[in-house]
Amino acid sequence: MLVTPRRYALGAVEPEDCVRVRLEDGALTESRAGVDPSSETPLHRAVYAASDAGAVVHTHSHFATVMSTLVDEIPPVHYGTIAFGGNVRVARYATFGTDELAASVEEALRGRRAALLANHGAVAIADDVDRAVGLAIELEWLASVAYHATLAGQPRLLDDAELARVAERARTLRYAITEVR
Ligand SMILES: [Zn+2]
């Protein structure tokens, strides 16, 4: 897999700065001198191993991170929740960069295309980088809506039956919702 380099400002990363890592054992197969793979390489590897994701995007986006400190899953305040395959769970906390965090995220992602990482951030997965980035942006939006709605009062939630109807309708209308696993 290709992974972003450690200790870089992400906005300054060029494609050639990315580090090539063997999925099976995490061994470095190609990198420029002095360039190390992201500290979350174990997390990325675990997700690729457990799913058929073609891209994994990990962020510390603002509202996703706020919600990761407050709840065990993002409350289903909006039908856009179905884009993630169901309610987005929060993976239990573990120190960044550890195998423990990787295992926790892999578990929270089962049957889902996104998860929050408790007191840390978020992860979104898809077939390719553009779609995974798109989902990460949608996730940040959903987290922001849930946060503000909860702050303002007690939001109505959509139940499982309604989310199933929405998913069926999205399929009928051929919205681009693909199964990741
Ligand atoms: Zn992180």
Side-chain angles (χ1 to χ4, degrees):
M1 70 178 188
L2 287 166
V3 67
T4 48
R6 197 185 312 164
R7 297 183 302 267
Y8 268 54
L10 285 176
V13 171
E14 297 293 338
E16 58 271 23
D17 298 323
C18 289
V19 178
R20 198 178 292 265
V21 170
R22 198 157 57 207
L23 271 179
E24 295 71 38
D25 58 5
L28 223 63
T29 60
E30 196 184 314
S31 79
R32 294 221 313 262
V35 179
D36 299 313
S38 161
S39 55
E40 291 300 358
T41 295
L43 182 159
H44 288 259
R45 277 182 57 219
V47 174
Y48 285 121
S51 71
D52 55 7
V56 177
V57 169
H58 168 53
T59 78
H60 296 171
S61 67
H62 186 93
F63 286 106
T65 305
V66 170
M67 290 303 284
S68 82
T69 71
L70 294 170
V71 295
D72 294 324
E73 62 176 29
I74 299 181
V77 291
H78 192 277
Y79 69 85
T81 296
I82 63 150
F84 307 102
N87 293 352
V88 176
R89 306 179 188 110
V90 180
R92 60 183 185 283
Y93 182 82
T95 308
F96 84 96
T98 59
D99 290 336
E100 201 184 338
L101 178 62
S104 160
V105 170
E106 186 268 303
E107 191 184 320
L109 266 178
R110 283 181 199 160
R112 299 288 188 274
R113 291 173 206 95
L116 302 187
L117 286 57
N119 302 76
H120 181 156
V123 64
I125 63 176
D127 297 344
D128 59 40
V129 173
D130 286 345
R131 289 195 183 100
V133 168
L135 271 185
I137 292 168
E138 267 185 70
L139 178 63
E140 174 62 7
W141 174 83
L142 181 67
S144 165
V145 170
Y147 170 77
H148 287 101
T150 308
L151 192 68
Q154 263 202 333
R156 278 187 304 275
L157 301 180
L158 302 175
D159 59 22
D160 290 347
E162 177 56 17
L163 289 174
R165 268 194 297 275
V166 170
E168 183 51 41
R169 187 148 179 77
R171 268 190 292 275
T172 307
L173 297 175
R174 301 173 67 188
Y175 278 87
I177 295 167
T178 50
E179 291 299 323
V180 167
R181 62 190 74 212

